[in-house]
């Protein structure tokens, strides 16, 4: 057994070493801050340096271009590192199949155009479904319109990427109003398909489906997939076909607690039930975390495991904090936001601001701020600002989470976390299950402390719940003064 294997300047811990010593298919469950990327790179270098596998015999797949580039920069080896879409393109090229990609915003455009021009009865149905006491023109010009469009796009993405059929709809799970909304969605989907067919174009999901039909033997002996908790049925189908044709071992790495891309068609069940699709699977848990304090881990773990579908794991940290989370019930968003920024600026230059929605920041800043390309400029200092989705994989010493209010577009987001999407799944999850995982990602970005900002008169349900957990774990609740 290989011991004390060194990757760059770091030695892998005992849990990370289990992957290096595995010769089977593997499911690696990696907690937040557990050195997931380091472990992947360690496995690749071990295969090349110790097992004498050629770099050309290894395929690495990650979910986003950013994560692909991150792995490439840390590997410094000429090796195939692709997104699923890039892999699909490579397969079609090898098979000399011509294709043309449609506009990536086509579906969103069709959704908006349909809603702009729909009939009066459809308008009434939508307003009733959203329980909004405004007229339709006001709805179109409100922030609720964007979220409703996102919800429809999410539903269609889930429908397509997980190969749902109309027969999969369990009608008895839906009330009459929900069934009317489903008909609206399917009419939009029909228009989308007709538009693509009329222009002879593919979307990215079509690429994956077509690549699966034409899977190619590149000679890969190992297929390693990062962020596997964010995969979909059509992506899994491609990997299964590639592994069969190439006779490859498949290693997937991810964290079910951080599955936050349901809106793009991802299905957490594929991670939880990996052994149904591949045989001889070693299950490896990375339980040492090198980012958060043990106290924050304990709080976050109790919060996320309220979701019954999450894998139980005991994460361990060598770091400790007497005050991992502070609460800031605010009465004036702009005033309170400045106060907490000024306070953290005396402690560190490494500060990240997070929110559920991209435009939330504008409610907290005034003309003394400048904001461009995810950077806030204030008082001659710079601060990173991201939606929680975009913060995945990032970390900072101090994290400020805003807009934790009890509102439609607060955190949890009540429009995008929609019962129609929940009912589309064959499993029953608790309310706001996906939003709960998103909040877990948010509070675990910090190395030292997370601050939670919320409306003093209308805190979100997550604030109420996390307060109880903090009180039980820490013996007190700390407020920003």
């Amino acid at each position: 057994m290989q011991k004390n294997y060194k990757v760059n300047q770091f030695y892998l811990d005992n849990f990370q070493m289990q992957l290096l010593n595995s010769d089977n298919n593997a499911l690696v469950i990696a907690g937040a801050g557990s050195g997931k990327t380091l472990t992947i790179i360690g496995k690749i270098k071990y295969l090349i340096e110790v097992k004498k596998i050629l770099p050309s015999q290894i395929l690495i797949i990650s979910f986003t271009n950013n994560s692909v580039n991150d792995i490439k920069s840390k590997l410094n080896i000429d090796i195939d590192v692709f997104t699923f879409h890039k892999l699909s393109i490579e397969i079609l090229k090898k098979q000399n199949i011509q294709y043309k990609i449609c506009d990536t915003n086509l579906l969103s455009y069709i959704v908006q155009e349909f809603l702009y021009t729909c009939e009066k009865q459809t308008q009434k149905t939508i307003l009733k479904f959203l329980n909004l006491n405004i007229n339709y023109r006001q709805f179109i010009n409100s922030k609720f319109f964007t979220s409703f469009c996102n919800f429809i796009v999410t539903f269609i993405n889930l429908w397509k990427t997980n190969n749902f059929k109309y027969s999969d709809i369990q009608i008895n799970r839906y009330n009459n109003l929900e069934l009317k909304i489903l008909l609206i969605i399917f009419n939009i989907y029909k228009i989308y398909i007709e538009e693509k067919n009329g222009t002879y174009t593919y979307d990215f999901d079509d690429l994956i489906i077509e690549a699966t039909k034409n899977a190619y033997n590149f000679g890969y002996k190992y297929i390693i997939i990062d962020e596997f908790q964010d995969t979909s049925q059509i992506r899994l189908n491609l990997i299964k076909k590639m592994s069969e044709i190439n006779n490859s071992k498949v290693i997937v790495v991810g964290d079910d607690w951080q599955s936050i891309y349901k809106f793009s068609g991802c299905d957490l069940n594929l991670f939880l039930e990996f052994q149904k699709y591949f045989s001889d699977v070693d299950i490896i848990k990375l339980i040492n975390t090198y980012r958060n304090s043990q106290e924050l881990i304990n709080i976050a773990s109790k919060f996320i495991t309220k979701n019954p579908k999450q894998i139980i794991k005991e994460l361990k940290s060598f770091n400790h904090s007497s005050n991992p989370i502070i609460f800031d019930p605010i009465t004036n968003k702009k005033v309170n936001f400045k106060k907490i920024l000024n306070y953290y600026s005396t402690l560190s230059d490494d500060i990240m601001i997070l929110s559920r929605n991209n435009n939330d920041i504008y409610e907290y800043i005034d003309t003394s701020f400048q904001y461009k390309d995810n950077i806030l400029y204030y008082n001659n200092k710079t601060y990173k600002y991201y939606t929680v989705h975009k913060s995945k994989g990032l970390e900072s010493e101090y994290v400020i989470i805003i807009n934790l209010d009890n509102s439609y577009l607060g955190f949890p987001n009540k429009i995008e976390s929609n019962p129609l999407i929940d009912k589309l799944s064959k499993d029953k999850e608790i309310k706001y299950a996906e939003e709960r995982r998103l909040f877990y990602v948010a509070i675990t970005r910090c190395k030292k402390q997370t601050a939670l900002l919320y409306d003093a008169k209308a805190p979100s349900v997550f604030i109420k719940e996390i307060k109880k957990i903090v009180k039980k774990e820490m013996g007190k609740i700390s407020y920003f003064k």
Side-chain angles (χ1 to χ4, degrees):
M1 179 180 287
Q2 179 77 27
K3 295 183 179 179
N4 300 323
Y5 192 77
K6 190 175 183 180
V7 180
N8 300 329
Q9 70 269 38
F10 301 102
Y11 285 97
L12 300 186
D13 66 30
N14 291 337
F15 302 101
Q16 295 165 337
M17 283 299 302
Q18 290 178 25
L19 177 59
L20 269 64
N21 293 313
S22 168
D23 289 322
N24 297 322
N25 296 318
L27 170 66
V28 182
I29 304 167
S34 62
K36 170 177 65 69
T37 304
L38 180 72
T39 308
I40 291 172
I41 291 169
K43 178 66 174 181
I44 295 164
K45 290 192 172 183
Y46 183 78
L47 288 173
I48 295 169
E49 295 171 0
V50 179
K51 294 290 188 177
K52 304 305 179 185
I53 301 295
L54 297 175
S56 61
Q57 295 173 320
I58 303 172
L59 168 66
I60 303 102
I61 303 174
S62 196
F63 191 68
T64 66
N65 287 321
N66 286 339
S67 55
V68 163
N69 292 334
D70 182 49
I71 292 173
K72 279 184 176 179
S73 65
K74 291 175 179 174
L75 264 175
N76 196 26
I77 298 171
D78 185 14
I79 195 169
D80 286 346
V81 187
F82 298 142
T83 62
F84 278 96
H85 298 138
K86 184 64 166 62
L87 172 62
S88 300
I89 289 170
E90 291 297 316
I91 291 170
L92 297 183
K93 281 182 182 178
K94 287 288 187 182
Q95 301 286 37
N96 295 314
I97 295 173
Q98 301 299 314
Y99 63 91
K100 186 168 69 171
I101 300 295
C102 67
D103 189 325
T104 54
N105 295 316
L106 178 62
L107 178 56
S108 294
Y109 173 79
I110 288 173
V111 170
Q112 291 178 29
E113 283 300 303
F114 181 94
L115 296 180
Y116 285 143
T117 59
C118 61
E119 298 176 349
K120 293 282 187 183
Q121 190 56 50
T122 301
Q123 296 175 10
K124 290 179 182 178
T125 299
I126 292 169
L127 293 176
K128 186 176 181 181
F129 175 71
L130 296 175
N131 195 27
L132 294 176
N133 293 316
I134 56 178
N135 64 46
Y136 197 74
R137 183 178 293 276
Q138 289 173 318
F139 165 64
I140 284 178
N141 294 316
S142 75
K143 56 189 178 183
F144 302 112
F145 179 74
T146 300
S147 283
F148 187 64
C149 290
N150 291 342
F151 149 67
I152 294 176
V153 170
T154 296
F155 188 99
I156 291 173
N157 283 332
L158 275 170
W159 184 266
K160 183 174 184 182
T161 60
N162 289 292
N163 288 331
F164 284 113
K165 300 177 180 60
Y166 293 117
S167 58
D168 291 323
I169 293 287
Q170 300 176 44
I171 294 177
N172 62 338
R173 296 183 69 183
Y174 300 86
N175 60 41
N176 287 335
L177 183 57
E178 290 171 339
L179 288 172
K180 289 179 181 178
I181 294 294
L182 283 179
L183 286 175
I184 292 170
I185 294 171
F186 291 138
N187 281 334
I188 294 171
Y189 185 40
K190 181 182 177 183
I191 295 169
Y192 177 60
I193 293 172
E194 289 172 349
E195 180 67 25
K196 285 190 300 157
N197 290 344
T199 55
Y200 302 99
T201 55
Y202 287 168
D203 62 21
F204 284 126
D205 292 331
D206 296 325
L207 271 185
I208 294 173
I209 293 168
E210 196 65 25
T212 303
K213 297 175 185 175
N214 295 277
Y216 185 83
N217 188 344
F218 290 88
Y220 296 131
K221 290 187 175 181
Y222 289 86
I223 299 175
I224 301 173
I225 308 168
D226 189 18
E227 304 288 5
F228 188 73
Q229 79 280 347
D230 293 322
T231 201
S232 64
Q233 186 65 55
I234 60 172
R235 293 187 182 104
L236 179 69
N237 292 346
L238 175 58
I239 292 308
K240 192 159 178 55
K241 189 74 174 289
M242 285 290 288
S243 68
E244 291 168 356
I245 289 176
N246 288 266
N247 194 25
S248 312
K249 299 289 186 186
V250 176
I251 298 167
V252 300
V253 185
D255 182 9
D256 59 300
W257 292 7
Q258 299 184 75
S259 177
I260 59 172
Y261 285 99
K262 191 172 185 178
F263 68 88
S264 68
C266 300
D267 183 357
L268 178 58
N269 283 321
L270 304 178
F271 182 91
L272 300 176
E273 300 172 358
F274 181 71
Q275 290 168 286
K276 281 177 56 176
Y277 304 97
F278 295 90
S279 59
D280 299 321
V281 175
D282 289 337
I283 298 178
I284 298 163
K285 293 183 180 181
L286 307 184
I287 67 172
N288 287 334
T289 175
Y290 301 95
R291 177 192 301 150
N292 310 130
S293 66
Q294 185 65 55
E295 290 73 20
L296 187 135
I297 289 168
N298 294 343
I299 294 166
S301 297
K302 283 185 169 54
F303 178 82
I304 191 62
T305 50
K306 293 291 181 68
N307 277 358
K309 285 181 63 178
Q310 308 301 156
I311 297 171
I312 300 299
K313 40 189 174 285
E314 299 292 331
L315 299 180
K316 303 295 181 185
S317 174
F318 303 101
N319 303 319
H320 292 278
S321 171
S322 60
N323 205 9
I325 295 179
I326 62 169
F327 295 84
D328 189 8
I330 59 181
T331 54
N332 186 308
K333 290 183 177 180
K334 292 178 173 63
V335 171
N336 285 67
F337 186 58
K338 284 183 179 179
K339 283 183 179 179
I340 201 160
L341 278 184
N342 290 332
Y343 167 68
Y344 278 138
S345 294
T346 65
L347 304 177
S348 174
D349 292 325
D350 187 15
I351 301 166
M352 184 190 300
I353 302 148
L354 300 179
S355 192
R356 175 62 182 81
N357 313 295
N358 197 49
N359 293 328
D360 290 343
I361 191 65
Y362 294 110
E363 296 182 25
Y364 290 79
I365 60 177
D366 56 25
T367 54
S368 61
F369 287 84
Q370 287 183 305
Y371 174 51
K372 185 178 180 180
D373 298 331
N374 297 117
I375 299 293
L376 276 178
Y377 302 90
Y378 172 65
N379 252 358
N380 296 318
K381 293 183 180 292
T382 60
Y383 304 89
K384 296 167 287 187
Y385 171 70
Y386 302 102
T387 63
V388 183
H389 283 102
K390 291 181 180 177
S391 75
K392 184 102 174 0
L394 304 177
E395 62 183 21
S396 286
E397 289 189 347
Y398 295 92
V399 172
I400 301 168
I401 307 174
I402 61 174
N403 192 29
L404 284 158
D405 305 336
N406 182 24
S407 66
Y408 267 116
L409 302 181
F411 203 168
N413 182 302
K414 297 180 182 179
I415 293 181
E416 293 187 32
S417 179
N418 196 285
L420 264 70
I421 289 176
D422 294 337
K423 291 176 182 179
L424 185 60
S425 170
K426 295 175 184 177
D427 302 302
K428 292 183 179 180
E429 288 194 303
I430 65 171
K431 193 174 184 179
Y432 304 130
E434 177 90 349
E435 294 287 302
R436 181 177 293 272
R437 289 189 286 269
L438 193 61
F439 186 65
Y440 171 83
V441 168
I443 62 177
T444 55
R445 297 307 93 197
C446 80
K447 291 188 276 187
K448 291 186 177 179
Q449 189 176 72
T450 295
L452 307 179
L453 278 61
Y454 56 95
D455 187 330
K457 294 182 180 179
S460 83
V461 292
F462 286 172
I463 285 292
K464 294 177 181 179
E465 185 177 333
I466 203 79
K467 271 188 178 180
K468 293 178 182 178
I469 297 172
V470 170
K471 179 69 180 296
K472 186 172 182 180
E473 287 294 316
M474 305 303 298
K476 63 176 183 177
I477 297 174
S478 298
Y479 292 96
F480 177 68
K481 299 178 181 178

